[in-house]
Amino acid sequence: MIEFHQVHKTYRTGGRDVPALQPTQLEIASGEVFGLIGHSGAGKSTLLRLINRLEEPSGGRILVNGEDVTALDADGLRRFRQRVGMIFQHFNLLMSKTVADNVAMPLRLAGIRSRSEIDARVAALLDRVGLKDHARKYPAQLSGGQKQRVGIARALATEPSILLCDEATSALDPQTTASVLQLLAEINRELKLTIVLITHEMDVIRRVCDRVAVMDAGAIVEQGPVTEVFLHPKHPTTQRFVLEDEAMDESEMHDDFAHVPGRILRLTFQGDSTYKPLLGTVARETGVDYSILSGRIDRIKDTPYGQLTLALIGGDMAAAMTRLQAADVHVEVLR
Amino acid sequence: MEALFSSLLGNVDWYEIWLATLDTLLMLGGSLLFTIILGLPLGVLLFLSGPRQLFENGPLYAALSFVVNVLRSLPFIILLIVMIPFTVLITGTSLGVAGAIPPLVVGAAPFFARLVETALREVDRGIIEATQAMGATTRQIIFSALLPEARPGIIAAITVTAITLVSYTAMAGVVGAGGLGDLAIRFGYQRFQTDVMVVTVVLLLVLVQVLQSVGDRLVTHFSRK
């Protein structure tokens, strides 16, 4: 468990205090994948780096599994960092070392001398990330996705309980992003590792995170389970992120629907209800007709969901509404 | 053919040339060794104490910078003469190979230190951050990350410094250091023996070429591209 108690951070540049993180209260449960989303400068990178104190907090306390990280001395901090893995947007691998030596580095730094022990660990790690044939290559000979896999193997070398991901997929193409995210989800599941990741893409949150916090101007403006925040965004910043992900322009959408007759609804299905034949049943029973204006059926991590914008025409409108609301579906009337 | 060769190079005493070449190589090797021993830590210190670095320390950086700049702004020929009492103090003589090495080192080490500082600045900050995140001590950051990553740059710096030292050794002839430069000045210039001049210049040229190509090869090898 990672706890932030009134943690804040102020930078001093050019004689002026610039707040990077407002006093923040946050709890990240053990074993969950927690996402922090925000635009650049929103403070998410600062928040992430406060966890392993690559950034020193200006105030407040950070507890990791009950241990006050903010109170650690230099030696304690180094031992703590050896239990926290971290991966980076630009991978930050040592170009002068082979893949195997990069992965072995945290082990050597932690004082493990036994060659056979290091070799065995490195081989197992490279096997896990699917790079066992690349051990003797140098990072410059690998693709971006492969480099990030080396980064992941390196971060896992000391068997940490926490993995921090700093925009880990932002430099990768969509396909590679998907495979790296899949690997992270796998690691989270199998090693019961707590993952904290920061990103500016809602899609990354949707694919791997259990819970999410949305950051804006150095503060968390909304947080909760991803299904909740993604399907029912409340803060304007969150709404913008969700729309960006769906590549939809809301004003354009409303213009398009202006000449559509009838009542316009947005239905949100979640979990098992997603695949039930609800619309057909309701239409048959109440005599309303419907047309689907836009929609998306997808998954949020392991939860299937659907979100449809419909126009309802004719029939027993009131009965249809009651029937829909009675089902396990969230109904919003847009017009 | 042989007659033509010996009449063209009539003044050249090949034994003298051989001894002078040996002196030049000894001066170069000795001074390069001590330049690296002194200049590398100095360069690392300059880097670490520099602005926005691991051990940012304004006054220390300013002081080191000042010393380095002063030594670098002295023309080597002046340094040679100014250094004589100090040289005698540590080597017992201001003459020959031993007498030349202290001024060569003092002349080249600050230059080399600056090049090392620049090479270290080229190392991606992200790599330092990643190493910190692994829980490395400062010593580990320097020896396991910074120096290996800067290795190609440092080798290039050694190459440039070695070539600079070749030209310094030639000047060191002025204070009786011996070597190819000394030969060129005493015979080629002062006794108008152009053939001696040509031979020494060609030998110095070959030496510089060899140093440069070995250095380039090592840089390519350690760049791991």
Side-chain angles (χ1 to χ4, degrees), chain A residues 92-106 108 137 139 150 154, chain B residues 134:
Chain A
N92 297 353
L93 302 175
L94 276 81
M95 306 300 279
S96 61
K97 292 191 197 293
T98 61
V99 166
D101 284 335
N102 266 288
V103 176
M105 201 169 155
R108 297 211 170 99
K137 287 191 181 167
V150 177
R154 180 175 72 174
Chain B
M134 287 177 217

Side-chain angles (χ1 to χ4, degrees), chain B residues 58 70 116 130 182 192 214:
Chain B
V70 165
V116 169
D182 179 43
F192 305 106
V214 169

Side-chain angles (χ1 to χ4, degrees), chain A residues 49 52 54 78 81-82 84 86 88 92-97 105-106 108-109 138 140 154, chain B residues 124 126-127 129-137 140 144-145 148-149 151 222-225:
Chain A
R49 281 168 170 71
N52 62 354
L54 286 176
R78 279 194 300 102
R81 281 176 177 168
Q82 285 167 3
V84 179
M86 188 164 187
F88 303 86
N92 297 353
L93 302 175
L94 276 81
M95 306 300 279
S96 61
K97 292 191 197 293
M105 201 169 155
R108 297 211 170 99
L109 293 180
Y138 286 93
R154 180 175 72 174
Chain B
D124 191 341
I127 285 172
E129 189 181 39
T131 315
Q132 280 179 305
M134 287 177 217
T137 60
Q140 287 174 325
S144 304
E149 284 298 288
R151 190 159 47 194
F222 284 112
S223 291
R224 310 292 193 193
K225 288 279 153 65

Side-chain angles (χ1 to χ4, degrees), chain B residues 79-146:
Chain B
L79 189 69
L80 269 174
I81 295 158
V82 171
M83 283 277 296
I84 288 175
F86 179 70
T87 307
V88 173
L89 196 71
I90 53 174
T91 65
T93 175
S94 69
L95 299 174
V97 169
I101 288 178
L104 285 170
V105 171
V106 172
F111 170 69
F112 178 62
R114 275 286 187 224
L115 294 179
V116 169
E117 184 196 3
T118 313
L120 291 172
R121 278 199 198 156
E122 292 293 309
V123 175
D124 191 341
R125 295 187 75 92
I127 285 172
I128 299 173
E129 189 181 39
T131 315
Q132 280 179 305
M134 287 177 217
T137 60
T138 309
R139 175 196 285 267
Q140 287 174 325
I141 293 172
I142 295 169
F143 289 99
S144 304
L146 264 176

